[in-house]
Amino acid sequence: MDGKMLARLGAVVFVAVAITATAIEMNRKEEAPEAWPSGRITQAQADPLRDELIRCQFLGEAGPRDPACLRAWAENRNRFLAPGARPAERLPDMPPAPRDNATAQPNRTDQPAVEPATPIAPPQIDEAR
C-alpha cells in the first residue's frame, strides 16, 4: 500500500466517523436540564424592604431624590451595619485556629525549652601560603 492510498483510506474513515457522530447527535432527544439545588430554603413571605430596594433600583437617577428610597436605604444600612445586627441566616461556626506555642511557658513541664536561634558564622577559608 502506498502513501496516497493510505491517506485516502484515512480520509474516508474520518468522514464516516464524522457522519455517524452527526447522525447520532441529530437523533438524540433534547433533555430538559435539571435545576441545580441551591441549598437555601426559599422564604415563604416576601421581604417588603427588598421589594422597595428593587423599586428604587428601577427608578435610576430619581432614586436619591425619592424619600421612600432614602428610608429604605437607611433601613438596609441599619440592618447590616448597626451594632449587634445579625444576618437572617447564620453562617456555620468556624473551628478555632491552632495556636502557635513558640513562646515557652516556665510552669509547663511537657513543653521543650525554646532557645533563640544563634547566628551561624560563615566558614573560614584558609588561604594558601
Side-chain angles (χ1 to χ4, degrees):
M1 222 184 219
D2 61 332
K4 282 186 177 182
M5 188 60 135
L6 188 59
R8 287 181 185 165
L9 181 63
V12 169
V13 169
F14 177 77
V15 170
V17 169
I19 290 173
T20 304
T22 303
I24 290 172
E25 185 65 28
M26 289 178 70
N27 287 333
R28 190 163 56 167
K29 293 182 180 178
E30 187 77 23
E31 295 178 5
E34 294 182 21
W36 286 74
S38 66
R40 289 187 154 190
I41 300 171
T42 57
Q43 295 179 353
Q45 53 185 331
D47 185 11
L49 179 60
R50 183 175 182 271
D51 295 337
E52 182 66 19
L53 290 171
I54 291 172
R55 185 190 71 82
C56 293
Q57 181 181 9
F58 286 123
L59 287 179
E61 289 184 17
R65 291 186 298 273
D66 185 21
C69 290
L70 293 174
R71 280 193 302 274
W73 288 327
E75 174 65 29
N76 192 42
R77 277 192 308 272
N78 288 338
R79 179 184 283 186
F80 293 103
L81 301 177
R86 297 280 181 208
E89 102 185 19
R90 290 199 64 200
L91 297 175
D93 293 332
M94 295 295 295
R99 291 187 355 196
D100 184 20
N101 293 332
T103 58
Q105 297 175 355
N107 58 355
R108 295 205 36 199
T109 58
D110 63 337
Q111 187 176 22
V114 178
E115 296 178 17
T118 58
I120 300 174
Q124 299 292 330
I125 300 176
D126 292 334
E127 293 182 18
R129 296 181 196 202

